[in-house]
Amino acid sequence: MCGSRPHRPAHREAHRLTDTALLLTSETVTNAVNACRTSDTSAPVTLYAEWGPYGTLRVLVSDDSPGLPAQPLARDTADAESGRGLLIIGSSATDWGVCHHGPGPGKAVWFQVSGASS
């Protein structure tokens, strides 16, 4: 281990939280962009992120595309090239959900990840 130091547990936890947050944010934004593209929606996708209590990161991605996303069953995506975004979010986030926003047809997908070990 020339030139490296052992990672302290707090550093490993911070890296895990960062990696999870980046993956889930990427999946959520990609889903929103794809939904807008397929529905011909030109309004921008919006990303909000905030730190909550106890090291919890909350992320919300909203778009104006109509309809709510549906979480596919694992067996439906076994050989598919896409469609795993919500499965990844559901299995990796501390909590998550989908809701309508505003008076229009849009929705928001949100998730939170926590630095606390489960």
Side-chain angles (χ1 to χ4, degrees), residues 24-88:
L24 300 185
T25 301
S26 175
E27 289 293 334
T28 307
V29 170
T30 299
N31 286 353
V33 168
N34 288 340
C36 288
R37 184 179 302 139
T38 59
S39 68
D40 224 13
T41 301
S42 62
V45 170
T46 306
L47 169 74
Y48 299 95
E50 69 177 358
W51 285 104
Y54 311 111
T56 299
L57 176 65
R58 298 178 190 140
V59 175
L60 180 138
V61 176
S62 62
D63 66 69
D64 286 342
S65 173
L68 297 176
Q71 184 172 357
L73 300 173
R75 70 174 189 268
D76 294 339
T77 60
D79 295 326
E81 292 184 19
S82 63
R84 294 183 185 90
L86 290 179
L87 289 172
I88 293 169

Side-chain angles (χ1 to χ4, degrees), residues 15-26 57 59 111 113:
H15 285 290
R16 183 197 64 78
L17 178 63
T18 301
D19 290 346
T20 300
L22 285 171
L23 171 66
L24 300 185
T25 301
S26 175
L57 176 65
V59 175
F111 68 84
V113 291

